Amino acid sequence: MFADGGFELHLVGGPVRDAVLRRSVSDLDFTTDARPESTEAILRANCSTVWTTGADFGTIGGLFRGEQVEVTTFRADAYDRVSRNPIVRYGDNLVDDLERRDFTVNAMAVSVPGHEFTDPFGGLADIARQTIRTPASPESSFADDPLRMLRAARFAAQLGFGIDPETLDAMRRMAPELGRITAERIRDEFVKLLTAPDPVVGLRILVDTGLAEQFLPELPALRMEIDEHAQHKDVYEHSLQVLRNAIALEQDGPDLLLRLAALLHDIGKPETKDVVDGGGVTFHHHDVAGARLARRRMRDLKFPKADVQAVSLLISLHLRFYGYGDAGWTDSAVRRYVHDAGAQLDRLHLLVRSDCTTRNRRKAERLRRDYDAFEDRIARIRADEDLRAVRPDLDGNAIMELLGLEPGPQVGRAWAYLKELRLERGPMPRQEAESQLRAWAAAEGLAPSPDAE
């Protein structure tokens, strides 16, 4: 289609890299010497759907024979190097377009229909060496777009590649430049890294280069000093191992919320660390502190509200199970655990199991058996009760009728009392629930009116 119009067209970037690596290829990216208006005309004549959301940057997208394609005019942008915003300028040749791309492994092209392979910056050799390197100097590339430093860590995690020493050195020196990038773009790149096959590789790069300090300082803060007088587990290494444990337990692909909770579950420890007499160390209430810190950091990174709530809840609950095997729990305590976890119960199970990183096999096996028994107990109680939606035995209408109340805060107080009673005792016959409510109301000065019976 483009050749018939007298234009060049080249498959470029990620699809070429992934084809070389024998990885699956989905969306197809092309570059062309055609200007956007010509590209749009060609696609509209041949695609079932066309979108122009990227037209200001020279990109037109379409659905062609069931394949999603995006076609971008050759670019030769300049950058103000204060913000990330490019001054869009179209180029007139393929090599200049490839040079402005992030890494050599993404700066290869295959022409269509001729299938001529173009690799002016050694991307194929870098794939063979499993190396991440920039086409231009890393200083120039990262000054143009500092987010590329995060992308280098992300590609290392996705592809299992190392980063070229010169490129890595530039990342260390230029880490503060990340401050020019919006929180949303940083979040999106971080999510891609965290859901990669081995995010620990990328996370280590972020911490070692100082990039994590720019947007997630709680992570490098876990590298607390361990001295001979105040021994404690290396919290940073422990957290990375918990993340790996959680990934091993995933059933249906990457679970972002579980991975975030695993990575951040102990970020409250530096704040709560206390050295006690005799050289011991405590981290009292680090679960509460960690939930607060995670909530604040995720909000700063513009995560959706539901994700913030889910991760902070998981962190706040990740210690509650410990001691179950020794002290034993009442049925009401089990109900409350399930009720408080809510929709995150299954993730909480995985997080608690992942948090065991001890090398003591006997201790690890005991914790595993205890949690197996705990989950079995939840299942037995759930067989008799609906633990996912624990509700009082009387609803608001029944409370108002029984106590002769109008809608208002007093009804809410009565409902909350019955809910606590339900968690403590389990389901009750209606007559017993009514009797308990009357006794509570009398003690609270809310005795039913004479005509309420």
Side-chain angles (χ1 to χ4, degrees):
M1 289 155 38
F2 278 77
D4 288 346
F7 300 114
E8 295 180 40
L9 188 69
H10 306 267
L11 186 69
V12 70
V16 178
R17 177 201 69 223
D18 288 341
V20 170
L21 288 168
R22 301 296 190 268
R23 291 160 54 96
S24 62
V25 176
S26 52
D27 300 344
L28 303 177
D29 297 325
F30 294 89
T31 189
T32 181
D33 59 345
R35 291 296 191 259
E37 57 273 16
S38 299
T39 295
E40 182 177 354
I42 293 173
L43 294 188
R44 287 198 182 281
N46 295 277
C47 291
S48 58
T49 303
V50 171
W51 53 90
T52 60
T53 51
D56 289 345
F57 299 96
T59 300
I60 308 295
L63 196 63
F64 178 72
R65 299 181 182 174
E67 300 286 349
Q68 181 170 305
V69 301
E70 289 194 339
V71 183
T72 303
T73 301
F74 289 157
R75 296 270 290 275
D77 299 335
Y79 293 81
D80 59 20
R81 297 193 172 181
V82 176
S83 68
R84 156 65 180 93
N85 300 324
I87 301 169
V88 177
R89 183 159 55 89
Y90 298 130
D92 56 12
N93 67 87
L94 175 62
V95 173
D96 286 351
D97 178 90
L98 295 177
E99 187 175 17
R100 58 166 287 278
R101 295 177 181 269
D102 52 6
F103 305 110
T104 60
V105 296
N106 297 328
M108 302 179 292
V110 175
S111 68
V112 291
H115 292 179
E116 179 183 350
F117 181 66
T118 302
D119 179 22
F121 303 104
L124 193 62
D126 284 341
I127 286 179
R129 288 192 292 263
Q130 298 188 326
T131 298
I132 304 295
R133 184 171 60 87
T134 57
S137 72
E139 292 81 5
S140 175
S141 181
F142 297 153
D144 282 348
D145 185 2
L147 191 69
R148 289 172 174 171
M149 294 184 284
L150 287 190
R151 293 168 79 181
R154 187 247 294 183
F155 282 123
Q158 285 183 332
L159 304 176
F161 285 12
I163 298 180
D164 169 71
E166 184 181 354
T167 302
L168 195 64
D169 183 60
M171 291 166 65
R172 291 191 181 97
R173 288 185 282 105
M174 300 180 69
E177 293 292 312
L178 198 62
R180 291 160 41 195
I181 304 301
T182 64
E184 291 86 351
R185 294 185 70 220
I186 290 174
R187 175 205 62 211
D188 290 347
E189 197 60 49
F190 179 59
V191 166
K192 291 176 183 177
L193 185 157
L194 201 58
T195 52
D198 188 4
V200 171
V201 169
L203 292 169
R204 289 192 187 280
I205 292 170
L206 294 183
V207 171
D208 293 345
T209 57
L211 285 164
E213 191 68 43
Q214 308 304 314
F215 71 97
L216 189 63
E218 293 81 5
L219 182 58
L222 293 176
R223 298 184 298 181
M224 294 181 287
E225 180 180 357
I226 303 176
D227 60 67
E228 61 182 345
H229 303 295
Q231 288 289 334
H232 61 80
K233 186 180 294 185
D234 185 325
V235 183
Y236 173 66
E237 292 297 334
H238 165 74
S239 297
L240 296 181
Q241 185 57 51
V242 172
L243 173 58
R244 280 195 164 125
N245 291 348
I247 291 171
L249 294 176
E250 290 173 339
Q251 298 293 319
D252 300 309
D255 184 335
L256 173 64
L257 299 185
L258 175 62
R259 293 188 182 197
L260 278 167
L263 178 65
L264 304 178
H265 76 286
D266 274 351
I267 59 172
K269 280 190 171 180
E271 180 180 300
T272 59
K273 179 182 176 182
D274 186 34
V275 180
V276 298
D277 293 340
V281 176
T282 64
F283 302 100
H284 292 311
H285 307 301
H286 75 268
D287 48 342
V288 177
R292 171 174 49 79
L293 292 170
R295 188 160 47 244
R296 183 183 68 188
R297 185 57 55 197
M298 290 181 67
R299 284 172 178 167
D300 288 347
L301 289 171
K302 311 299 184 184
F303 276 90
K305 183 178 179 180
D307 291 356
V308 176
Q309 292 174 336
V311 173
S312 59
L313 176 66
L314 288 167
I315 293 173
S316 70
L317 295 177
H318 82 275
L319 288 181
R320 186 180 291 188
F321 165 76
Y322 290 95
Y324 171 79
D326 296 327
W329 284 12
T330 63
D331 283 353
S332 69
V334 176
R335 291 188 195 97
R336 193 171 300 279
Y337 184 89
V338 174
H339 171 264
D340 290 350
Q344 301 306 318
L345 180 63
D346 291 339
R347 282 194 180 99
L348 183 59
H349 288 330
L350 299 181
L351 178 61
V352 174
R353 289 184 182 277
S354 300
D355 197 21
C356 178
T357 61
T358 178
R359 295 181 181 179
N360 184 321
R361 291 187 177 182
R362 184 175 298 177
K363 181 180 179 181
E365 179 60 22
R366 178 172 60 81
L367 287 171
R368 186 193 65 77
R369 288 198 309 269
D370 286 348
Y371 210 86
D372 285 346
F374 184 54
E375 286 199 60
D376 288 344
R377 187 172 176 188
I378 289 174
R380 288 197 302 272
I381 297 176
R382 181 177 284 164
D384 299 325
E385 309 170 23
D386 182 11
L387 291 183
R388 286 193 179 273
V390 175
R391 291 183 172 275
D393 294 282
L394 303 175
D395 62 17
N397 290 328
I399 291 170
M400 289 188 290
E401 180 180 353
L402 187 69
L403 299 183
L405 298 174
E406 296 296 327
Q410 292 180 336
V411 178
R413 288 173 55 205
W415 190 91
Y417 166 73
L418 286 176
K419 182 175 180 179
E420 287 296 312
L421 200 64
R422 171 73 161 74
L423 287 168
E424 185 67 30
R425 299 189 182 183
M428 291 183 293
R430 184 180 182 89
Q431 185 176 2
E432 183 179 351
E434 291 177 350
S435 175
Q436 291 290 336
L437 180 61
R438 286 194 184 95
W440 173 85
E444 294 290 316
L446 296 177
S449 59
D451 59 349
E453 293 294 337

